[in-house]
Amino acid sequence: MNTVRVEAGYLPGLAAADVQWQTLPFEQDGQRVDVAVPVLTALQMQALAEHVKRASAQHLKTMTVSEIIAVIDRAIARLLDPNDPYRRQADALLPIVSGYDAEMVRLGLTGFFKTFRAPQLHRFVAEDFANPKVLDGFQPAAKGGAVRAYGPQLLAHSWAGNVPALALWSLVCGLLVKAGNIGKLPSAEPLFAGWFARLLAEVHPPLADCLAVVWWRGAGDEDASALYAQADTVVAYGGNDALHAIQRRLPVTARFLAHGHKLGFGVVSAMALDAQKAPALARRAAWDVMRYDQQGCYSPHVFYVQRGGPVSPRDFAGYLAGELSNLQRRFPRRALDLEESAAVAKWRQSIEWTLPPGGADALIGDMETAWSVAYVDEAASLAPTALQRSITVAGIDALDEVAPQVAARREFLQTAGVAATPEELYRLAEQLGAAGVTRVSAIGAMSVPEAGWHHDGRFNLLDLVRMTEIEQSAEAAADPFASYEP
C-alpha cells in the first residue's frame, strides 16, 4: 500500500519539535495518508493565541479591506491553477481523506474556490456593509456623526469536516473583518485549512503570524479552554451535541455563533413538468443529491412535486432515479462504514414496510444500488433521509401545501430549491420564509451557495464585528475647541 505522510495544522511562533503530534490514518482504494496533527498544551495554546493577536494588530488590522481581498484573490488564483503545488496536493489527497470520488472533489473545489475571487469578495463585503470603508476607519453615518466596525482581536473557529475545504468560509470572513484567526481542524478533514494558511503566508508574508490552525480531539480539554478564554468570538460548525459542548466552555463574555444540522428540500411546480423540462430538471436535482453524498447542510432530503403537469410526480421520481444511476457511474458514491450502511438499510426498510399493496408509493433502487428514491403519493412532513444519495419524492396537489409540511422543522430549515414560475416563486418564498427557510435557490444550485449568502439567515460579517459610533452631539461639542474658532 502506498503511504503518504502529511503534517497538518499551522503554528506560527511554535517550533514543530516542541509540539506533540498525533497521527490520523486515512485509506482509500489502496492508498493511505497518515496525517500528523498537532496536540498543544494549554500553555502552548495560550502563547499561540497571544502571538496571533499581536501579529494581527500589527499587520492585518493596518490593511484596508481592499488590500486584504487582493491577497485572498492571489491565493485563490493559485488554488484555481491545476498546476499549482497546493492545488495538486488538494486534488491528490482530499479524495483519500474524505472518501469522495476524485472527480467530484476536483469539480467541487473549483466551483467552491470561484466564489472567493476578488469580485465575489467585494460583493460579499457590500452585502453586509452599505459602506465597506467602515472596516477601515470612521465613516459618515446617515443619521449624523460617524461609525466604524471593529473585528475581534481573536476569532476562534471550530470546523466541521463533512465537506472538503469547508473551513474556507469562516476563515475568509475572519480575515475580511481583520481578526486574528485560530481554527480547530476537524478530524474528518484535517488538511485544507493548514494548506490555506501556509499559502496566505507565501502570498503575503506579513500575514504569516496572523492566523493559526490547531487540533484537538472532540470537545478538547485544557488546550481548548485556553484558546476559548482568549477569544472574543467563536464560530462553530457541527452537530448540536458538539455545539453545546463548546458553548459550555466559553466565557460568558464571548460571542458564540453556532451552525448546526440543517435540512434542505426542493419544490417543483407542475409548470416545470413538461416532457422537455422535466428530464433536465431531474438531472439538476440529481446533482444536488449527489454532491458530497448529501453531507452539506444545504443538501435536499425531500422533493415536493406538484401534480397536474404533463409529467406526473411519480414519473419525475423515475427520472430522478435514472439520473442518480447515471451519476453513480460518473461519480461513484464513497464507501460507507458499517454505521452508515445500517442507517441506509434502516431507512429503506422504514419505507418498504409502509408501502401499500397496489398503491402508487414506491421505493426505486435496491440495496445493491448506491442510491435510493422513495416516492410517496401524498404530502409528507419534512424528515431527514439516511443521506448517502437517498431521497424522497412526495406528490402534492398545490404548492401551498409545502410550507405547513416543513414548518414543524423550523429550527432546522435552511435551503429550499424551487422550480416554478416567477409568480409562484415569490408567493412560495413568502410562505417558506415565514416557515423558517433562509435560502431559496434554483434546483441544481442548492449545494453551491452564492458568494455572500446569509448563512442560516444571518450576516456573515456583521455578526463578527462591533460598531463604534461618534454621535452628532460629540461632533458639535468638538467644534468650539478647534484652533480656528474664535
Side-chain angles (χ1 to χ4, degrees):
M1 180 180 292
N2 182 33
T3 302
V4 176
R5 180 175 173 81
V6 183
E7 188 175 286
Y10 180 72
L11 308 171
L14 292 179
D18 296 333
V19 175
Q20 183 180 351
W21 297 84
Q22 181 171 329
T23 298
L24 304 178
F26 300 89
E27 294 183 15
Q28 176 81 356
D29 296 332
Q31 297 178 296
R32 175 170 171 145
V33 178
D34 285 342
V35 181
V37 290
V39 181
L40 305 186
T41 66
L43 288 176
Q44 287 174 324
M45 191 71 78
Q46 181 178 352
L48 182 65
E50 292 171 349
H51 181 89
V52 168
K53 283 199 290 188
R54 284 196 303 270
S56 63
Q58 183 177 355
H59 300 294
L60 185 59
K61 293 187 185 299
T62 62
M63 298 173 67
T64 67
V65 172
S66 292
E67 289 171 340
I68 295 169
I69 288 175
V71 170
I72 297 171
D73 185 65
R74 293 202 298 273
I76 292 298
R78 288 188 55 179
L79 289 172
L80 286 169
D81 179 0
N83 296 315
D84 185 87
Y86 282 100
R87 181 56 192 263
R88 289 205 308 268
Q89 195 172 31
D91 287 342
L93 299 185
L94 288 181
I96 301 172
V97 169
S98 67
Y100 295 120
D101 174 74
E103 183 66 4
M104 182 200 297
V105 171
R106 186 186 70 80
L107 293 175
L109 289 178
T110 296
F112 187 50
F113 295 152
K114 285 164 62 177
T115 63
F116 295 96
R117 294 170 295 180
Q120 286 73 27
L121 291 181
H122 281 294
R123 295 190 193 104
F124 195 1
V125 176
E127 187 69 32
D128 280 14
F129 298 98
N131 182 358
K133 288 185 178 181
V134 298
L135 289 163
D136 299 332
F138 280 100
Q139 298 296 312
K143 64 179 178 59
V147 63
R148 180 174 180 177
Y150 290 90
Q153 289 184 305
L154 183 64
L155 174 61
H157 311 253
S158 181
W159 293 310
N162 51 322
V163 175
L166 190 61
L168 192 57
W169 271 116
S170 67
L171 190 53
V172 166
C173 289
L175 291 169
L176 291 175
V177 299
K178 309 180 186 182
N181 292 269
I182 298 183
K184 182 257 182 184
L185 290 165
S187 296
E189 196 280 89
L191 290 175
F192 180 80
W195 290 337
F196 188 69
R198 293 188 182 95
L199 178 54
L200 281 174
E202 289 182 18
V203 168
H204 191 70
L207 290 184
D209 295 324
C210 298
L211 66 165
V213 180
V214 300
W215 178 88
W216 58 72
R217 185 173 296 281
D221 207 338
E222 287 84 1
D223 50 355
S225 297
L227 173 59
Y228 293 144
Q230 296 205 48
D232 307 78
T233 304
V234 177
V235 179
Y237 302 81
N240 289 343
D241 289 343
L243 295 175
H244 285 310
I246 293 171
Q247 191 172 28
R248 286 193 292 269
R249 287 186 175 275
L250 300 184
V252 69
T253 54
R255 183 181 301 180
F256 183 49
L257 304 174
H259 298 283
H261 288 315
K262 298 297 176 182
L263 290 173
F265 62 93
V267 185
V268 179
S269 164
M271 299 296 289
L273 292 174
D274 63 27
Q276 182 177 2
K277 297 185 182 76
L281 181 61
R283 187 174 306 117
R284 294 194 295 272
W287 274 83
D288 280 331
V289 175
M290 177 275 298
R291 285 192 186 101
Y292 296 126
D293 301 340
Q294 296 169 283
Q295 295 296 315
C297 59
Y298 29 64
S299 299
H301 293 257
V302 178
F303 284 105
Y304 295 98
V305 183
Q306 187 183 18
R307 300 182 184 88
V311 173
S312 70
R314 175 63 178 80
D315 289 340
F316 181 83
Y319 285 139
L320 179 58
E323 293 298 336
L324 287 173
S325 180
N326 292 336
L327 288 175
Q328 168 62 18
R329 289 190 286 271
R330 184 177 175 187
F331 305 104
R333 187 185 69 185
R334 66 183 178 86
L336 305 185
D337 61 28
L338 188 60
E339 183 178 353
E340 291 167 332
S341 296
V344 172
K346 182 179 180 180
W347 179 80
R348 288 180 56 87
Q349 286 178 350
S350 70
I351 302 297
E352 290 172 337
W353 289 345
T354 59
L355 291 178
D361 293 5
L363 181 60
I364 309 171
D366 55 42
M367 284 301 298
E368 301 305 315
T369 62
W371 51 268
S372 301
V373 178
Y375 176 72
V376 293
D377 201 39
E378 61 181 20
S381 297
L382 180 62
T385 66
L387 308 179
Q388 322 306 341
R389 309 189 191 185
S390 57
I391 188 75
T392 298
V393 175
I396 57 174
D397 292 319
L399 300 182
D400 292 348
E401 296 177 37
V402 177
Q405 294 296 334
V406 303
R409 298 284 189 172
R410 170 181 292 271
E411 67 271 28
F412 298 108
L413 296 182
Q414 185 201 78
T415 296
V418 174
T421 68
E423 295 81 4
E424 291 172 330
L425 169 63
Y426 277 90
R427 174 181 170 82
L428 189 60
E430 288 282 357
Q431 297 172 353
L432 297 181
V437 169
T438 59
R439 173 175 172 251
V440 177
S441 78
I443 289 176
M446 295 180 66
S447 48
V448 283
E450 295 176 347
W453 70 303
H454 293 89
H455 192 178
D456 293 343
R458 295 299 310 167
F459 292 95
N460 292 287
L461 303 180
L462 271 177
D463 281 353
L464 298 177
V465 303
R466 61 176 174 84
M467 310 300 289
T468 297
E469 295 187 8
I470 300 175
E471 290 191 351
Q472 194 171 6
S473 63
E475 282 188 323
D479 278 339
F481 306 127
S483 60
Y484 48 75
E485 288 291 337

